Each structure stands twice: as structure tokens, then as C-alpha cells.
Amino acid sequence: MASGGPVLDSLEEFDSSDSGSIYEPQINARKKKQKTTSGPQPKKSRRNATARGTPSVSSSTNPSPGEPSPQGQAHYQARSRSIPERNTNERNQGISAKEIYDAICSGKAAIVTVVDEWLDSYKQSREGGLLVLINFIVQSCGCKGVVTREMFDSMQNAEIISTLTKEFNETSGNYPLSTPGPQMKHFKAGLSEFSRVLMRSCRNSIIYDEYIFPSLLALLTGLSDSQVRAFRHTSTLLALKVMTGLVEVAVTVSVQLQTTQRQIDTEKSKNPQIRASDKLEELHATISELKENREEVCSMMNATFRGVFVHRYRDLLPDIRAICIEELGVWLNKDPEDFLNDGCLKYLGWTLFDKQSAVRLQCVRALQGLYKEKEFIGRLELFTSRFKERMLSMVLDKEPDVAVEAVNLLLLIQLMTEEGLSEEECGRIYPLVYAAHRGLASAGGAFLYNKFQSLIAQENNNNNAAFFHVLIAFYTQNEFHEHGAYLVDSLWSVAGSELRDWETMSALLLQDAGLMYEEEGVLLELMMCAVRQAAQGTPPVGRSHARKIASMKEKKVQEQDRSRITTHFIPILPQLLAKYSADAKKVSLLLKAPLYFDLEMYSSTQWLKKYLDLLLSQVCGVVEKHTDSTVLQACAQLANTLCSENYTFSSRAHLAFSQLLDDLVECFNSYFAEILQGGADKDDTYSAATALKKIAVFSSAKDPTGWKLFDSCLQLLNSRLESLDLHTELTVSALKCAGFHLMWAKVNVDKSKPKAAELKHLKKDMNTFCRICQRCLSVDKTRIRDEAFELLCDLLLLYSQASVRSEPALQPLVHLPSVSLCSELASFLLDHVFTEEEDAELCDEREEEIKMTLFQKRRRQLAGYCKLVLYGVLDLSAATNVFKHYSKLFSEMLTDDPSQQDPTEIRDLAKKLAMTFGIDLHRIRKPLVALHLDGIKFAFRVPEDGSKQLPNADFLEILSEFSFKLLQQDRVVISGFLKSECPAAALCWPSVKHYECSLASRSAARLKEQEVAAGAVSQHDTPQPKRRRTTAGGSTSSTTKGPWLESSSIHSRMNTPVLTSTVQKRAAPPPPPTQVRAAESDAGSGLAEVESEDEFSSGMLMRKVNPTKRGRLNSAQTAAARDKEDVASHLTLLSLIEDDISEREEGEDEPEIEDSDNESQSSYTLPSTRHTSVSVLDELFD
């Protein structure tokens, strides 16, 4: 850029104090009148240069050198609001403000046409055109007021804003930029586009007329400092967009300056005899005009930066802060010569710690734009070293979008900087490939893939085999969890071509001396995960997926991948099964491959038919060799798929598996008689148990009723239970076989029309098997006990009343559990599901996997029991045990010592339970009132030992979680009942007061609203302001109770970074009244700067609207202040004025209610305890 001091070379002074703001309306009426009379005089040099056809100024980006002096700033301010003499007969017949606003809102009109129409009207009348633009801005703010010609002629900006504020009679806090939904996005985009087109259209001449843009920026700066959020938000957006246009113009002017200077130097270097003096004189005139243009643009940029950005980047509203940071990123990219320095970068560094995710997101994106440019890296070294730790910590940001962009930013730092990231710093990013959020995991995968590529490049081995070696090493050496599906899904977007290289992976697996044993297992797992990912295109379980419906292009790619997988693996799979047939884990992985094949190719492609027989023989051989449940289940699942009637080759598969099962049934029957008589040895028992286990596993996929094993299994179970000689494997397998037989029999009955005798026989078998399972619930063998419980839950649900509701003919099959069976099921739940005895034994870290398996088993058993309650098999009262022990045993939480009680988890459970009551308050009215009445009785129950203490009084805090569902009339009744039951001494207890507040919250709010409506009278019918919390000293307390940097936005701990030119807020004693305004902090961002004023303090209505000195007021000033009390009265009544503290109070007082999808699906009403003999609470806590 051209020589000269940078535009923002003293930014540290700009943001340290507001006293130097060039837009403070300190010019008296006399000066304004003098300026109005004289009017702005056009510059002679510009007029002469224009006549000579100097090059026009096009759009681009760059502020100019040198800051104007304070005197020049005051002159600029006075000039910006001066109005030249007008022709009173001239009228603007062009476009109106409403037409511009409607065009922006519709989004269908061409913005260029709208701007051209306005320019035509401006050329006819500058005052009228400016007035149209001002009224358009006012209307864009949502204000219905209008700036008239008389107001414009006779009022200063501050007075105009005050008048508009009083006329801002809106009952809603919404304005165009805050309207929810897509309309807000369209309006914001239209407003930004309008500003951009306006600046491009005015960049050649109108921008230098010393009238329109100085006046416009003066008004926008005043509006941006308003306490009305609509004014502040809209004007800040427009002012910063105009600033962006000015930056583009400044950059273009600087380029033209450099070009003209080179021409001058070239001309001067010529021989004086051939030098063109006229051309040289013209170039000097051109460069003088360009410098003058740059100085003028620079003056407007400085004014906007200091008057708007420096104050608004820490505004209370996150949207305003986000706009500031977004535009700052644009300025840094377009004009690095003037903006890319520590003075501007510090704003990005500070904003990395913003509390709002939207602001942090814009900050990270702005930094990405800087780190993409190689020439910027040198200027970013200090910033990188100072804020790298913060950027690393942001990969764990609580907002996934911010974390994703932070990872992308760190990837740019790794690629573009020489130092990059150390291995320890990279190690903080690698675990993100296992994150639950798919976008974050993909970003982590991109970072990891880049690291892989750099390692491969160092070894000069750029093939996919080297990639798989590096991937296997990473997967085996990391200490994260062992789910390859998540790693593959994370790398899929960047390494999809490598992970689809089935040929290379198969070749590595089939090599005899290629990989080690552990590496073969890892590669096999990753290959199967890649096969599933390519065939299905869905993320693994637990990982969020933003778009569930695949596009046509994605479906086509999946079909192509599926075809390639099938063509490649059909010949290779039998070879892999033969090689790894003895390894249970590897075989179970390989058996999943055919599930992702296009199985029709077995019959449609002639040369692939022979491989089906090879596959079937290999699967049957695997069943004969292995007894592991995982392998057998994989074989059964594959058999179920191959035997499907959808395929033409299903008969061949059905024949092969039928022969296999016939052999297994024959094997079991050969040992059955000896086992019943007790003459079988251990080998015979093992052989029979193994055969029956395989039959039981295949019974889940194939109908076992044809094998006639049900009676044999019942005889075996009866004999074993009577003799108490329970062989675990044999008994569990017999239970499974008999249970699956009853399930398949019920399915077959549903499909056909059975006779009454068949139904009677099936009902008898069901009764017999349930009695056997009930006996198994009390044995001391864990596997037998668990299998019996799960089978009972499934069968009772399958043979319930709800299952035959659509088939009246099957009514005889309904099996209702006996009272003893219900009791046994409830006892099992208490003894083996809600217990911690087995957990205490598994305290070793190596048993973590066993703990997880045990947890899943308990959750599955609890789900089975809850289904019985939900579908009406068990009475609703059976759910009492579930509610009682779901979070923890209540006996651990309600201790004998009330001071040691910790009801947090019970309150969370009560909150969840309250959300299940639904939204129909009249339907739940009676049971809810009964719950409160019984809860009050329980809380004030006197102990049997006669002590005067009330140990259950804290239960009222738990009961308060149900208060928000009460109707108003019920609140009054319950409040009276509480006062009648509560002892006088207990009325001051915290739990009692808390419960009273929960009952009175809604009624008190309504009463207060009625009092305010009846007693508050406003001239403009505006609502009363929100209540503020005051400190002991009388000043309004800050909305932030601690340093901003202490409220980290991520889940990990990190040290507070060293900041530049800032001080962290600390608790301080109340300041004296004369210093309240200077001592208050910025409540919006929580970040305070040295000697900076509070933009939104309670003692200050509008800093630019009503400027006063901080010193002692003289009598004239006091009178002037009294005259402006009318403005203060209206501002304090304005509904849109910022009051974040009161919003926080309302958020704290009002309980946070979570949405529940089950509210509309609830099909039963909670039972009323009013007419029961035993209270539900007694049953819960006694």
C-alpha cells in the first residue's frame, strides 16, 4: 500500500476510552447554523481532475494513512451534519423508503434497480434522497416513526434519535432482524446486499460529495449507541457493511496511488528533453486528488471504527458481537497492510473466549480466512503463540459447530506454518475421530489423514499398502476404545478411495508372511467396517447423522460400491474363511460380509454360482468346529439371509442348513435317554449340551417346531430341577429351545386358522413352561435365572391380551401371570437388577468390559419388565419399584441425618416423572392434587419415636418439581392445606419456603401484572421496564458475576491466557455516586477495557443522546438535565431497552421444562391416591 501511517496505528488508544469519540454531539446550535449557511464547498482539485478525465475510484478495500487530529475530527463531525441551502420548490419524486423496505423484505426485487432508482432521486435532491435513506433505516429497525423534513432541518442527530425512541411504541421485542425463521435470514441478506450495491454504485463520485455518507454514518453511529436493541442491531449491521465498502474503496485508491506514483517515477526517469511535462503535471494532479480521496475515505473509516466497532464488538447482544467479528475478518483479509496487526488481531483473540457460541464461531472462521493466506503467516506468529492453547482447547467446545471449525483452523495452522503443531498438541486432536458428533469426527479424521499423508511422504512410499500399515499402527497403539466402525466413518470423507481398496486389503490378509497376528485382526475389522460403510452409507450406532435421507447420487454410489464388493468378495470369501476358520473373532467378522452383498449375483452371474456351494460348506464347517455364541449367531444370521424366499437360490441354502440341523437333532436325541436316566458321563453331557446350544441359536432364525424338541426339553428341565443337578449350558439351551418353540408356534397360529384343540394344547404348553421358568427364577445359577426372566418377559408379552386384540379367535391363548409369578418378577428386579453387589466385585480396570456387559444385561431386563407394565400385562402399581430404584436406592439418599441428605438425584427423577404427565392439566388434576396432599402429609409426619424433628421435611423440595403442573385454583387449596399441616416453627424452614414459592409463583406473577396494569400510566402506553437487581450500594449489579475468561466454553480445564491492553473484572466495593457510570462494566461480553465506559449502564440512558460531563453540574446544566427528564421517562418505559439482569432473574425463577415426546403418546392416567387405603408415598419410602 502507499506510504503513510496506517489507519489504525493507535488502536490501543481507541479502545481504552470513549472520550475521543468523534460523534459525540458537542457542537452547539450556533456552529451548526454557521455551517448550514456556508454549506460544503467542493474541492477545486477534484473538479479540475474530473474535467481532465482522471481514473475513477473502483471498489476494493483499504483504510488510509494517518489519523485526523481532534480538531479535524470535530470539524468532520460538524461537517457531517451540516445541511446546505435547499431549493424549497424542489421535490423528490423518486423511490420512497417504504418501497425500498418492501423490496428488501420480498427478496424478489433486483437490488441494483432499487439502488439506481434511489440514486436518481438523490441526484434530483440530495436532502430528499438522504431523508428517504434515513427513513428506510428507521423502518428497517422496526420503528413506525418517520423523520420529517422539519425534524431533519431543525434537530441534531441526538434529538432525532430521542424522538424516534419515544415513538417506538412496540409491545413486542421482535424487529425485522430478530424475526424468527427464514424471514430474518432473507432480510439480513437483503440489507447486506443493499449496502454492498449502494457502496459500489457510489464509489466513483457520490462517496466524495462530503454530504451523504458523512451524514449517514453520523446517524448510524448515534443509533448504534442507543439502548433500543432494534436501533443498535440494525444500525451496527449497516454501519459495518458501509465500512466494508469503504475499505474496498480505500484499497482501490491505494492501488491507483501506487500505479500513478510508478508512472510519475517512470516519467521522471526519462531524459528531460523527451519528458512530457503536461503529462507529468496531470499525473501530479491525479495523485493529489487520490491522496485527498484517500484521506476522506480514511476519515470516514476511522470514525466508523471508533464510533461503532470499538464499542459494539463487546455489545450485550451476541448477534451484534458476531456481526462485528465477521466484518473484522473481512477487513483483515481485504486490507492486511492496515488491519493485519496486533492492534486488530487482539479483538479476535479476546473474542475466542466469548460466552456465546455464535461469536466464537465467527471468530474462528475469521481466523481461518487469515491462515489460508501464506503471506499472512509471518504477521500471525505472535498471535499464534499467544492464543494457540486456546485454539487447541476449543476442539472440546460445548458447541460441536465451533469445535469443528476449531479443528479445521488447527489443520490450517499445521499445514501453513513452519512450526505447525507438536506431537503432543496433535495428540489432543486425534481422539476426536471417536467423537459422537459426526461433523466433529470427520474434522478429526481429516486432521489424522493429513498426518498419515505426511508420514507416508517421509517414507517415499505412496501406495495404499503403506496407508493401511500406518492406519493399523495408529489403531493398535492408541489407547482409545476399540470400535473400528467409528474410525472408518471419521476417515470416510477424506480417505474413501483408500478404504475402498478391497484388493489391497484382501492381498495383505491372504499373504502368509505379510502381517502379524494382531495386525491381521485389526485389518480384518477395518475392512469389514469399510464394507458396511460403503454398502449402507450410514454412520455407526450412537453417532449423529444430520441428513437421514440419502440423495439419488449417494444411492447410485452405494449401488456401485455394493456391486464392486460382491464381485470381489464372492470368490475371495471362501479362501478367507478357510484360512481363519479356527479363529472365532475373525470368522465372526467374515461371516458378516455376505449381508452386504448383492446376493442375486449368485444366480444371475454364471461364473459366481459355484462359489455359493463353497460358502455353504464353509459355514457348515464353522458351525461344526465352533461353540462360541458370537460365531454361532453370525452363522444363524447368515443362514436366515440365504434362506430367504426373495432369492432364487434359497432352496439350495435351505437344504444345506436343514441337513446340518438334522444332524444336530440326531446327535442330541442319541444322548437324551441316558441324560434323563442320569447315566451320561461328562463327555456325553457336553456333546448333548453343545448340540442343543447350536440348535437353540439356529432356532432364532429358523422355525424349530418341526424338530419336535419341546417335550424333550420340558422333560429335561423338570428332571434337572427336581434333582437339583443343573448343568448350566444344558439347562440354558433347553430353556431357549422351548421358549423359541412357543414363540414360533404363536407366529404360526397367527398366520393360519387353528382348531380349538390346537389352541388348547398350545395354551397348556405355555402354562407348563411358565411354571418351569418361575421355578428357575429362584435357582442360584445366574445364567439360568437371567434366561428364565427374559423368556418370561417375552412370552408374557407375546401371549398377552393386547397381542390377540385384533384376532378374537385367538382369545383362548391369552395367558395372565399369576400373583405369585408377578411377585417373583418383582423380587427378581429388586434382587438382581437394582443391586450393586456384583458391581462391587468388579473393581479392577481390566473388568471394564465385563461391567459394561453386565450393565447392558440389566438394562435389557429392566426394559423387558417395563414393557409388561406399559402393555398392561402387569398392573401399573408394579412400576413403583422401578421409580423407587431407577436413579439410586432411596435408602442411600434419605439418611437418618437431615443435614446429610442429598436430594439432587431424586429431584432429577421427580422432574423426569413430572414431564410424563402430559399437557392436559385437567386430565391429571385429581391424581396430581392427591400427590401433593399426600406429599405434604408425608413431609410433616411425626416420627414414631416421638421426636419433635421432622426428618421428611426436605421432601417438599422434591414435591415442588410437580407444582408447575397445578391449576391456579388447586394451588390456593394446596397452599391452605400446607399452612394447616405445617407446624408454626417450620414455616421459616428453607424447604417449606421453597415449596410455598413454587405454589405462589404463577399467581404472584399474575397479581403483579394486574397491579402494574392498573397503576402504571404512560403517555405512550408503553409497558413497564423489567425489575433490576441492585447491590447494597444502590447501583445495578453486573450481569456477569465473575471474570469472563473464567467461564470457559469447553469441558476441559485450561489456564487463563495473557491478554493485551485489558484487565479482568474483579469484585470491587460500590463506587461513589459520581463514579458509578465509569465503574460499571460491559455486561454483554464480560470483557472490560481500561478506562472504558459502560455502554448500557442503568444510570445512563443514551450516551450519545444525552451527553453530560462527569464533573459537578452548574445551574444551567442542571436545568438542561431537567428539561430532558421527559426523554428519560420514556426510555425507561420502553419495552425494547436492554435489561439482561432481569431476564436472568426470570430464567432463574422459572423452572426449565424439557420437552417430552411421550406426552402425546401417553395412553393411561396416573392413579389417584385420594381414595386408596395406603398412600403411594408410604409405599415408596416406608
Side-chain angles (χ1 to χ4, degrees):
M1 192 166 180
S3 61
V7 177
L8 307 174
D9 54 356
S10 59
L11 285 174
E12 287 78 2
E13 298 177 3
F14 292 170
D15 59 14
S16 63
S17 176
D18 297 338
S19 60
S21 177
I22 64 174
Y23 285 110
E24 292 182 1
Q26 298 173 350
I27 300 177
N28 54 30
R30 183 168 54 84
K31 282 188 177 182
K32 176 179 179 292
K33 185 175 181 181
Q34 292 175 356
K35 198 66 182 178
T36 302
T37 304
S38 60
Q41 299 295 330
K43 298 182 179 180
K44 182 177 180 180
S45 60
R46 178 180 297 107
R47 184 171 59 250
N48 294 339
T50 305
R52 289 190 298 268
T54 56
S56 62
V57 181
S58 59
S59 70
S60 195
T61 327
N62 245 337
S64 66
E67 293 184 52
S69 62
Q71 294 82 3
Q73 294 172 0
H75 170 72
Y76 177 81
Q77 178 201 2
R79 185 182 64 188
S80 66
R81 282 295 295 121
S82 63
I83 302 175
E85 296 180 355
R86 301 180 179 87
N87 183 2
T88 57
N89 297 325
E90 185 181 15
R91 294 184 180 273
N92 181 18
Q93 301 296 334
I95 191 171
S96 65
K98 187 177 186 305
E99 291 173 343
I100 301 177
Y101 178 78
D102 292 340
I104 298 297
C105 290
S106 64
K108 299 178 181 179
I111 303 298
V112 177
T113 305
V114 175
V115 173
D116 289 343
E117 292 183 13
W118 177 84
L119 286 175
D120 293 339
S121 65
Y122 178 75
K123 292 175 182 178
Q124 296 175 10
S125 172
R126 295 200 306 177
E127 297 80 8
L130 178 58
L131 199 59
V132 168
L133 200 58
I134 289 174
N135 282 315
F136 162 68
I137 295 173
V138 172
Q139 192 169 0
S140 299
C141 296
C143 179
K144 296 180 181 179
V146 177
V147 180
T148 63
R149 178 63 65 89
E150 292 74 16
M151 293 172 58
F152 191 77
D153 293 343
S154 60
M155 293 184 181
Q156 289 281 359
N157 281 341
E159 297 170 340
I160 292 175
I161 296 172
S162 300
T163 304
L164 292 174
T165 301
K166 290 187 288 185
E167 294 179 359
F168 208 126
N169 186 18
E170 296 293 329
T171 58
S172 172
N174 290 335
Y175 50 94
L177 278 181
S178 69
T179 304
Q183 182 180 357
M184 184 270 288
K185 294 182 179 179
H186 295 161
F187 182 79
K188 181 179 179 181
L191 206 58
S192 302
E193 180 67 11
F194 177 81
S195 303
R196 187 186 68 82
V197 174
L198 179 64
M199 293 300 300
R200 285 183 177 273
S201 302
C202 301
R203 63 189 176 186
N204 294 332
S205 58
I206 297 180
I207 196 174
Y208 304 113
D209 69 354
E210 301 181 2
Y211 175 68
I212 175 66
F213 282 101
S215 301
L216 181 64
L217 288 174
L219 178 67
L220 290 175
T221 304
L223 287 172
S224 69
D225 203 41
S226 171
Q227 287 190 347
V228 179
R229 179 178 296 184
F231 283 156
R232 201 169 68 252
H233 189 182
T234 309
S235 60
T236 300
L237 175 64
L238 287 171
L240 295 183
K241 291 296 181 181
V242 171
M243 171 78 170
T244 301
L246 292 173
V247 171
E248 293 177 352
V249 173
V251 170
T252 303
V253 172
S254 299
V255 172
Q256 292 176 348
L257 267 172
Q258 295 174 358
T259 304
T260 307
Q261 186 64 45
R262 285 195 299 268
Q263 292 176 355
I264 292 175
D265 296 340
T266 302
E267 196 67 28
K268 286 183 177 181
S269 64
K270 293 181 180 179
N271 193 322
Q273 298 177 355
I274 61 175
R275 182 185 304 167
S277 56
D278 294 340
K279 183 178 180 182
L280 189 61
E281 181 180 354
E282 182 178 353
L283 289 175
H284 280 294
T286 301
I287 203 169
S288 298
E289 182 187 4
L290 290 175
K291 288 182 179 179
E292 190 175 348
N293 291 346
R294 186 184 61 183
E295 181 179 353
E296 187 169 346
V297 173
C298 174
S299 179
M300 290 187 288
M301 288 169 53
N302 284 332
T304 307
F305 192 91
R306 296 179 57 185
V308 180
F309 177 84
V310 171
H311 302 298
R312 299 283 70 78
Y313 89 94
R314 52 194 178 129
D315 193 274
L316 182 71
L317 190 64
D319 292 340
I320 296 179
R321 303 202 299 271
I323 291 171
C324 292
I325 298 304
E326 182 181 4
E327 295 305 312
L328 178 61
V330 176
W331 306 337
L332 290 167
N333 270 286
K334 290 184 177 294
D335 189 7
E337 294 297 328
D338 289 323
F339 285 93
L340 192 56
N341 51 55
D342 295 339
C344 284
L345 288 173
K346 66 182 181 181
Y347 295 109
L348 293 180
W350 295 340
T351 319
L352 286 172
F353 297 87
D354 197 282
K355 295 178 181 179
Q356 298 297 325
S357 61
V359 185
R360 298 195 304 272
L361 183 63
Q362 291 297 339
C363 184
V364 175
R365 286 176 176 172
L367 289 173
Q368 288 178 6
L370 299 179
Y371 280 98
K372 286 179 182 177
E373 304 295 334
K374 190 68 177 177
E375 58 271 19
F376 293 172
I377 300 301
R379 303 186 184 186
L380 294 170
E381 289 182 357
L382 179 60
F383 179 88
T384 305
S385 62
R386 180 166 297 178
F387 293 101
K388 182 192 288 186
E389 181 62 29
R390 172 57 182 165
M391 291 185 281
L392 283 168
S393 65
M394 290 181 73
V395 302
L396 299 178
D397 195 280
K398 63 181 180 181
E399 291 295 333
D401 294 339
V402 179
V404 169
E405 298 300 334
V407 175
N408 295 333
L409 174 61
L410 291 171
L411 178 57
L412 288 173
I413 294 176
Q414 173 76 0
L415 293 175
M416 304 300 291
T417 60
E418 295 181 0
E419 298 81 5
L421 300 177
S422 64
E423 191 61 34
E424 181 182 357
E425 292 169 341
C426 292
R428 299 169 63 175
I429 306 175
Y430 295 154
L432 298 178
V433 296
Y434 298 103
H437 189 271
R438 197 179 192 190
L440 181 57
S442 298
F447 188 91
L448 181 63
Y449 179 75
N450 176 265
K451 191 66 175 180
F452 286 171
Q453 293 298 105
S454 63
L455 293 176
I456 295 172
Q458 293 175 3
E459 299 177 359
N460 296 323
N461 190 7
N462 296 324
N463 54 33
N464 289 344
F467 171 80
F468 288 119
H469 282 290
V470 176
L471 181 62
I472 292 171
F474 171 79
Y475 189 68
T476 54
Q477 294 174 9
N478 68 54
E479 298 180 356
F480 315 129
H481 63 73
E482 301 176 354
H483 292 178
Y486 297 90
L487 177 59
V488 170
D489 183 66
S490 301
L491 293 170
W492 194 253
S493 59
V494 291
S497 59
E498 290 89 344
L499 294 173
R500 289 185 176 94
D501 189 359
W502 324 116
E503 292 79 7
T504 301
M505 287 187 277
S506 301
L508 290 173
L509 289 172
L510 291 175
Q511 289 178 1
D512 293 335
L515 299 173
M516 298 177 62
Y517 175 81
E518 183 180 359
E519 293 176 340
E520 287 179 343
V522 170
L523 180 58
L524 192 59
E525 180 183 358
L526 295 176
M527 183 179 70
M528 288 298 103
C529 293
V531 168
R532 187 205 66 82
Q533 187 78 22
Q536 295 183 345
T538 57
V541 177
R543 180 163 285 179
S544 59
H545 189 249
R547 185 163 51 89
K548 297 182 179 180
I549 301 177
S551 63
M552 295 301 297
K553 182 179 179 180
E554 292 174 343
K555 292 180 179 179
K556 185 177 180 180
V557 172
Q558 290 178 16
E559 290 298 328
Q560 294 174 352
D561 288 340
R562 198 181 187 96
S563 178
R564 288 187 57 245
I565 291 170
T566 305
T567 305
H568 172 75
F569 278 101
I570 282 181
I572 296 296
L573 185 59
Q575 302 178 35
L576 294 173
L577 286 173
K579 180 177 181 179
Y580 298 108
S581 60
D583 193 316
K585 183 178 180 180
K586 295 175 182 177
V587 166
S588 61
L589 290 172
L590 288 171
L591 289 173
K592 296 179 181 178
L595 302 178
Y596 310 113
F597 289 177
D598 182 8
L599 294 176
E600 282 295 342
M601 295 184 68
Y602 273 117
S603 56
S604 61
T605 307
Q606 188 67 28
W607 65 277
L608 294 177
K609 290 183 178 180
K610 60 180 180 180
Y611 294 107
L612 177 61
D613 296 332
L614 292 176
L615 176 63
L616 292 174
S617 64
Q618 288 290 343
V619 173
C620 293
V622 169
V623 174
E624 294 175 356
K625 290 180 182 178
H626 290 274
T627 59
D628 185 75
S629 299
T630 305
V631 178
L632 294 177
Q633 289 173 1
C635 292
Q637 187 177 8
L638 179 58
N640 183 45
T641 302
L642 295 177
C643 294
S644 174
E645 297 179 357
N646 298 328
Y647 306 113
T648 56
F649 59 82
S650 60
S651 58
R652 297 162 60 188
H654 184 76
L655 177 62
F657 289 112
S658 296
Q659 292 176 354
L660 172 65
L661 291 171
D662 289 342
D663 294 339
L664 292 175
V665 172
E666 183 179 356
C667 177
F668 171 72
N669 289 332
S670 64
Y671 298 108
F672 177 68
E674 294 184 4
I675 292 177
L676 281 182
Q677 297 174 3
D681 56 11
K682 292 183 179 180
D683 293 338
D684 294 343
T685 304
Y686 174 79
S687 299
T690 301
L692 194 59
K693 178 181 180 180
K694 296 176 181 179
I695 295 171
V697 172
F698 274 87
S699 296
S700 61
K702 295 181 66 66
D703 186 0
T705 55
W707 302 327
K708 308 297 182 183
L709 290 177
F710 181 75
D711 294 334
S712 301
C713 291
L714 289 185
Q715 294 178 24
L716 180 62
L717 290 171
N718 279 322
S719 64
R720 289 288 173 173
L721 288 172
E722 291 175 358
S723 62
L724 299 179
D725 183 14
L726 296 175
H727 187 278
T728 302
E729 196 67 50
L730 187 63
T731 306
V732 170
S733 300
L735 285 170
K736 284 185 177 181
C737 283
F740 281 123
H741 177 92
L742 292 173
M743 294 177 190
W744 280 100
K746 178 63 167 55
V747 172
N748 295 334
V749 164
D750 290 338
K751 295 180 181 179
S752 61
K753 295 182 179 179
K755 298 180 182 179
E758 295 179 1
L759 296 178
K760 184 177 180 181
H761 181 70
L762 183 57
K763 177 68 176 294
K764 180 181 178 182
D765 291 343
M766 176 65 182
N767 293 336
T768 305
F769 184 72
C770 286
R771 287 196 296 268
I772 292 176
C773 288
Q774 183 176 351
R775 294 170 61 186
C776 291
L777 291 177
S778 58
V779 300
D780 58 352
K781 301 284 188 178
T782 303
R783 288 187 57 195
I784 298 175
R785 195 171 55 228
D786 293 340
E787 189 64 37
F789 180 83
E790 294 176 11
L791 285 172
L792 277 174
C793 292
D794 293 337
L795 289 172
L796 289 175
L797 189 61
L798 191 61
Y799 285 81
S800 65
Q801 182 71 38
S803 64
V804 299
R805 190 168 297 164
S806 59
E807 294 290 340
L810 301 180
Q811 189 67 29
L813 285 181
V814 175
H815 178 80
L816 299 177
S818 61
V819 177
S820 60
L821 179 57
C822 295
S823 178
E824 288 282 353
L825 292 174
S827 300
F828 181 90
L829 202 68
L830 296 176
D831 296 338
H832 306 294
V833 176
F834 295 120
T835 181
E836 298 184 358
E837 295 179 357
E838 298 181 17
D839 292 343
E841 299 175 358
L842 302 175
C843 57
D844 194 351
E845 294 181 358
R846 295 174 297 179
E847 304 295 338
E848 190 67 30
E849 185 177 354
I850 301 177
K851 284 185 178 181
M852 183 58 63
T853 304
L854 181 61
F855 170 75
Q856 293 175 351
K857 181 190 70 173
R858 290 179 177 177
R859 186 172 60 179
R860 185 173 62 252
Q861 292 170 349
L862 180 59
Y865 185 85
C866 292
K867 286 181 182 179
L868 296 180
V869 177
L870 292 175
Y871 286 94
V873 179
L874 299 178
D875 188 74
L876 186 59
S877 60
T880 303
N881 291 326
V882 178
F883 291 130
K884 186 188 302 184
H885 300 91
Y886 183 73
S887 293
K888 272 190 175 181
L889 296 177
F890 283 173
S891 59
E892 296 179 1
M893 307 179 67
L894 294 178
T895 59
D896 295 335
D897 186 2
S899 63
Q900 297 179 359
Q901 294 181 7
D902 183 15
T904 304
E905 295 192 22
I906 310 180
R907 291 188 64 175
D908 294 340
L909 180 60
K911 186 180 298 183
K912 294 177 182 178
L913 182 60
M915 297 307 303
T916 64
F917 284 9
I919 59 176
D920 189 355
L921 301 183
H922 292 279
R923 182 174 65 87
I924 64 171
R925 180 182 180 184
K926 290 184 179 180
L928 191 60
V929 170
L931 175 64
H932 279 270
L933 297 180
D934 283 348
I936 294 173
K937 292 179 182 178
F938 174 78
F940 297 118
R941 179 187 299 171
V942 179
E944 297 181 357
D945 56 4
S947 61
K948 296 183 180 180
Q949 294 183 353
L950 300 176
N952 301 330
D954 288 341
F955 180 74
L956 292 176
E957 295 186 9
I958 303 170
L959 195 61
S960 64
E961 299 295 338
F962 300 91
S963 298
F964 72 97
K965 292 283 187 179
L966 287 170
L967 297 177
Q968 182 58 38
Q969 55 268 35
D970 296 335
R971 292 170 181 263
V972 178
V973 175
I974 294 176
S975 180
F977 183 77
L978 174 67
K979 294 178 181 178
S980 64
E981 292 288 328
C982 179
L987 289 174
C988 59
W989 290 1
S991 58
V992 178
K993 287 186 175 181
H994 181 81
Y995 184 62
E996 285 182 332
C997 291
S998 69
L999 293 176
S1001 58
R1002 181 176 299 181
S1003 59
R1006 288 187 176 180
L1007 181 61
K1008 184 176 180 180
E1009 290 177 1
Q1010 294 174 359
E1011 292 176 354
V1012 170
V1017 179
S1018 174
Q1019 181 180 352
H1020 299 280
D1021 297 329
T1022 53
Q1024 289 291 338
K1026 300 173 182 176
R1027 176 174 55 87
R1028 284 183 177 267
R1029 182 187 296 115
T1030 56
T1031 59
S1035 62
T1036 305
S1037 62
S1038 174
T1039 57
T1040 54
K1041 297 183 179 180
W1044 182 29
L1045 302 181
E1046 292 179 0
S1047 58
S1048 174
S1049 61
I1050 62 171
H1051 300 297
S1052 60
R1053 296 182 179 179
M1054 64 180 187
N1055 297 325
T1056 303
V1058 180
L1059 300 182
T1060 308
S1061 302
T1062 62
V1063 291
Q1064 299 182 19
K1065 294 192 304 179
R1066 296 179 175 86
T1074 58
Q1075 299 178 359
V1076 170
R1077 179 179 171 186
E1080 290 176 340
S1081 62
D1082 282 317
S1085 63
L1087 195 154
E1089 296 182 278
V1090 181
E1091 298 180 1
S1092 61
E1093 297 176 358
D1094 180 22
E1095 274 76 29
F1096 313 112
S1097 60
S1098 61
M1100 165 181 160
L1101 298 178
M1102 292 178 65
R1103 178 161 39 84
K1104 299 300 185 297
V1105 175
N1106 188 16
T1108 56
K1109 294 184 178 180
R1110 299 184 188 180
R1112 184 177 301 171
L1113 298 176
N1114 54 30
S1115 58
Q1117 292 172 328
T1118 305
R1122 291 176 180 174
D1123 292 337
K1124 295 185 178 181
E1125 286 179 357
D1126 181 60
V1127 177
S1129 64
H1130 292 298
L1131 287 177
T1132 53
L1133 294 176
L1134 199 60
S1135 62
L1136 297 180
I1137 285 180
E1138 297 294 343
D1139 196 353
D1140 187 65
I1141 300 178
S1142 61
E1143 291 176 0
R1144 289 194 179 188
E1145 289 180 352
E1146 292 178 1
E1148 293 172 357
D1149 296 339
E1150 183 177 356
E1152 184 178 355
I1153 302 174
E1154 300 177 358
D1155 294 330
S1156 175
D1157 295 334
N1158 298 328
E1159 291 180 356
S1160 59
Q1161 301 175 0
S1162 178
S1163 59
Y1164 59 89
T1165 304
L1166 293 179
S1168 174
T1169 59
R1170 180 172 296 178
H1171 304 292
T1172 55
S1173 57
V1174 180
S1175 171
V1176 172
L1177 295 175
D1178 293 338
E1179 184 178 353
L1180 283 174
F1181 295 100
D1182 287 348

